[in-house]
Amino acid sequence: MSRSIVRQSKFRHVFGQAVKAEQGYDDIRVSKVTWDSSFCAVNPKFLAVIVESSGGGAFLVLPLSKTGRVDKNYPLVIGHSGPVLDIDWCPHDDNILASCSEDCTAMVWQIPDHALTRPLSDPVVVLEGHSKRVGIVSWHPTARNILLTAGSDNLIIIWNVGTGEPLISMDDHPDLIYSVSWNRNGSLFCTTCKDRRLRVCDPRKREVVAERLAPHEGIRPMRAIFTRDGNIFTTGFTRMSQRELGLWDPTNFEEPIALLELDTSNGVLLPYYDPDANMVYLCGKGDSSVRYFEITEEPPYVHYLNTFSSKEPQRGMGFMPKRGVDVSKCEIARLYKLLDKKCEPITMTVPRKSDLFQDDLYPDTAGPEPAMEPEEWLDGRDEDPILVSMRQGYVPPKSRELKVVKKNVLDSRPTTRRSMSTLDTNSLPLSPVFIDFL
């Protein structure tokens, strides 16, 4: 029998498994806002979920260990005056979270290591620069304190959250921006837009360096992410409304590396990418399954591996960074599936008989240390992520204070209750008692 019939891959037998009911998170009122974001963000310390709330926007932040039923009076993060649309944990500090909202602002929060005992309403910094709702927040992968926001005003703004000031503003998109993804070293990002174009942007040159009209011919929303080798993985729809995935070389957008039709469901496919394994997990809103693929250098380049199926449809999904997985169980990924009233972790495991550390499954992965300062990145420097070994597992460090030093035009803003925490850098994060005293 020819050896070429069966493709050799250590990820061919990856299987998904939902955790036991008591290890999930119950009684969470997941947001019902009509926005195609994941509604969930997770890191090795915390789980954050955008939830329903009256009189503004809120999200729930739980320590990962606080499983089981969530008390209906559990304190929320409640600083936004409109529904929260997207949240993203900082890759360089597990206690820092960015959020954005229909109230036209983005906010950065410092979450204490212990569980919240009262609602958190004072962000470390408020980022005001969009004229319409802000739908996307995304941290720079390697530079400290660099945050990208994209709004319904078709504007992309890149901020230094250490000073609260906008560094770069780009208005190259004529319509609503669906998704933004940084490449591995943060020198470029790719976007998808309602005008059906896929763009690659160089933020420091403030220009679009490559673009492709209609990588998927359908008019429904697309998503795009950079892979570790610089290609772009996309999801979208065909002209007949079939869901489709594609792999593209941004230096040659004429023909796709791979294009694969999937099914006729109408939920937008959200891609979650593992750069260490070069695997991508596709989670459709309203689907009850997660499909996963391996990207390789041999045809057909995007290889279907398997599907994890469950009974209930998902409202959103969170994806754990590689440093948060359990290496002792050969777990290579963990997804947090949002249902109507709960969050259910799903583990993705490579079956191995040995209990020893598996070097081939866990290459050194991106660690929590930034590779450069914001000024260095702005001056044109590029650095890959600083890698850490997974051999001993990963222990999250204690909380570090985020110092915010206001300067330039933002100094002239009137002092408001919301922004007090941004003005006194010596007392961050402010305790609730200190805020009441003010």
Side-chain angles (χ1 to χ4, degrees):
M1 187 162 133
S2 170
R3 289 178 59 87
S4 62
I5 291 177
V6 178
R7 188 179 67 89
Q8 296 297 311
S9 169
K10 53 184 173 250
F11 301 115
R12 240 182 57 220
H13 301 292
V14 170
F15 67 95
Q17 190 170 25
V19 301
K20 295 176 181 175
E22 61 268 20
Q23 294 174 304
Y25 307 84
D26 290 325
D27 283 359
I28 297 174
R29 295 169 300 146
V30 179
S31 173
K32 292 184 171 60
V33 67
T34 54
W35 187 256
D36 281 327
S37 80
S38 57
F39 289 175
C40 180
V42 64
N43 70 15
K45 280 187 180 181
F46 298 105
L47 168 71
V49 180
I50 302 174
V51 294
E52 285 283 285
S53 70
S54 54
F59 54 92
L60 173 74
V61 178
L62 294 170
L64 284 187
S65 58
K66 194 171 178 61
T67 54
R69 184 174 169 274
V70 178
D71 190 298
K72 66 179 180 182
N73 296 318
Y74 192 87
L76 302 175
V77 183
I78 55 171
H80 286 286
S81 59
V84 178
L85 300 178
D86 195 19
I87 48 178
D88 192 27
W89 287 105
C90 177
H92 308 127
D93 189 331
D94 288 338
N95 294 74
I96 299 296
L97 177 72
S99 63
C100 63
S101 163
E102 287 192 6
D103 64 9
C104 307
T105 69
M107 296 182 181
V108 178
W109 306 85
Q110 177 122 24
I111 308 297
D113 275 333
H114 56 80
L116 291 177
T117 54
R118 58 185 292 171
L120 184 61
S121 58
D122 284 278
V124 178
V125 64
V126 181
L127 306 174
E128 297 173 312
H130 290 279
S131 59
K132 292 185 180 177
R133 66 182 178 181
V134 187
I136 298 170
V137 284
S138 180
W139 291 94
H140 192 283
T142 60
R144 188 195 307 273
N145 290 351
I146 297 291
L147 179 70
L148 179 150
T149 62
S152 294
D153 52 4
N154 310 333
L155 205 59
I156 290 177
I157 302 178
I158 295 174
W159 308 80
N160 179 352
V161 301
T163 60
E165 63 176 343
L167 302 176
I168 295 165
S169 182
M170 297 183 66
D171 59 359
D172 301 274
H173 297 76
D175 213 328
L176 180 66
I177 300 162
Y178 286 140
S179 70
V180 177
S181 170
W182 293 97
N183 67 352
R184 188 160 172 79
N185 65 7
S187 59
L188 304 169
F189 60 81
C190 66
T191 66
T192 57
C193 179
K194 197 174 180 179
D195 70 351
R196 300 173 61 216
R197 287 183 182 271
L198 167 64
R199 292 174 173 85
V200 179
C201 304
D202 185 329
R204 290 166 299 189
K205 292 181 180 175
R206 293 168 175 78
E207 66 182 24
V208 176
V209 293
E211 64 181 302
R212 158 84 195 203
L213 175 62
H216 301 283
E217 293 185 344
I219 59 172
R220 312 234 19 242
M222 293 184 296
R223 289 287 184 277
I225 51 172
F226 264 110
T227 65
R228 69 182 182 195
D229 47 11
N231 291 329
I232 296 175
F233 182 92
T234 60
T235 65
F237 293 81
T238 67
R239 193 173 292 165
M240 304 299 291
S241 290
Q242 277 198 301
R243 292 197 292 196
E244 189 175 48
L245 60 82
L247 187 66
W248 305 82
D249 178 357
T251 61
N252 179 18
F253 265 147
E254 292 303 313
E255 289 293 324
I257 300 171
L259 203 60
L260 182 64
E261 288 186 10
L262 295 176
D263 58 20
T264 52
S265 181
N266 56 12
V268 176
L269 283 170
L270 305 178
Y272 297 91
Y273 179 63
D274 174 0
D276 299 332
N278 215 11
M279 285 175 61
V280 64
Y281 300 82
L282 297 186
C283 311
K285 279 209 165 184
D287 289 7
S288 54
S289 62
V290 177
R291 286 170 225 200
Y292 38 106
F293 299 79
E294 184 180 1
I295 300 172
T296 68
E297 295 178 357
E298 302 90 35
Y301 305 106
V302 180
H303 302 269
Y304 169 75
L305 293 174
N306 211 336
T307 299
F308 167 81
S309 296
S310 56
K311 292 178 182 175
E312 297 181 68
Q314 56 231 15
R315 298 280 305 283
M317 193 72 74
F319 189 70
M320 175 69 77
K322 184 56 71 79
R323 54 197 169 88
V325 302
D326 187 345
V327 297
S328 66
K329 296 178 180 174
C330 293
E331 180 186 41
I332 60 163
R334 194 183 313 148
L335 298 107
Y336 286 73
K337 175 179 173 175
L338 291 187
L339 309 171
D340 275 339
K341 295 284 185 184
K342 65 179 180 179
C343 177
E344 180 182 76
I346 299 166
T347 63
M348 295 289 176
T349 307
V350 177
R352 292 279 169 97
K353 291 180 179 176
S354 172
D355 291 334
L356 299 176
F357 178 75
Q358 306 291 310
D359 296 83
D360 60 325
L361 296 184
Y362 301 105
D364 290 354
T365 191
E369 285 299 316
M372 54 186 160
E373 297 301 316
E375 297 78 17
E376 295 175 308
W377 177 77
L378 200 58
D379 288 342
R381 185 174 159 192
D382 292 323
E383 292 286 348
D384 283 341
I386 296 176
L387 305 181
V388 295
S389 171
M390 295 285 289
R391 181 171 289 277
Q392 306 299 327
Y394 174 76
V395 179
K398 289 243 174 99
S399 173
R400 293 173 295 181
E401 200 171 38
L402 173 61
K403 298 278 188 183
V404 178
V405 182
K406 289 287 203 174
K407 63 182 183 181
N408 292 353
V409 69
L410 295 178
D411 281 340
S412 62
R413 277 181 49 211
T415 303
T416 63
R417 185 177 180 83
R418 176 191 282 171
S419 61
M420 278 181 180
S421 60
T422 68
L423 299 176
D424 185 353
T425 60
N426 297 321
S427 55
L428 288 174
L430 291 179
S431 71
V433 175
F434 182 71
I435 293 168
D436 288 344
F437 176 74
L438 282 175

